[in-house]
Amino acid sequence: MEEIKATITGTLHSFEKHAGDDVTKGETIAQIESMKMLIPIEAPNTGKIIEWSVTAGDFVNENDSVGMLD
C-alpha cells in the first residue's frame, strides 16, 4: 500500500476517482483549491484506490496523507 499525498496546501476541492477505482500512474485523481486555482493530485503509481481519508472541503497541508493506493 502507498499513501496518496496532498501536492500543495489548500482545500480538497473534488475527487476524480473513488475508493475501488483503478488508476494509472500520473492520472489526476483529486483536486486541491489553492489561491483560487485547482491543483491536481496525481496517482503516485498504477493501482486501486483503497480509501480517501479526507472529504471534499477539508483543509490539507502539503504532503499530508489524503488516501491510500494499493
Side-chain angles (χ1 to χ4, degrees):
M1 290 193 290
E2 183 172 1
E3 286 184 308
I4 301 167
K5 296 192 175 207
T7 53
I8 193 168
T9 299
T11 303
L12 201 298
H13 181 266
S14 61
F15 297 100
E16 305 296 318
K17 297 289 183 171
H18 302 282
D21 289 349
D22 291 319
V23 297
T24 304
K25 182 178 181 176
E27 179 179 5
T28 298
I29 55 176
Q31 294 188 54
I32 296 174
E33 183 177 346
S34 182
M35 298 175 58
K36 299 191 182 199
M37 296 181 352
L38 292 178
I39 310 299
I41 296 177
E42 297 178 349
N45 281 308
T46 298
K48 184 178 288 206
I49 305 268
I50 297 172
E51 68 178 1
W52 289 109
S53 54
V54 295
T55 59
D58 286 352
F59 181 82
V60 295
N61 288 304
E62 185 175 3
N63 291 320
D64 280 357
S65 178
V66 296
M68 295 298 291
L69 181 70
D70 187 19

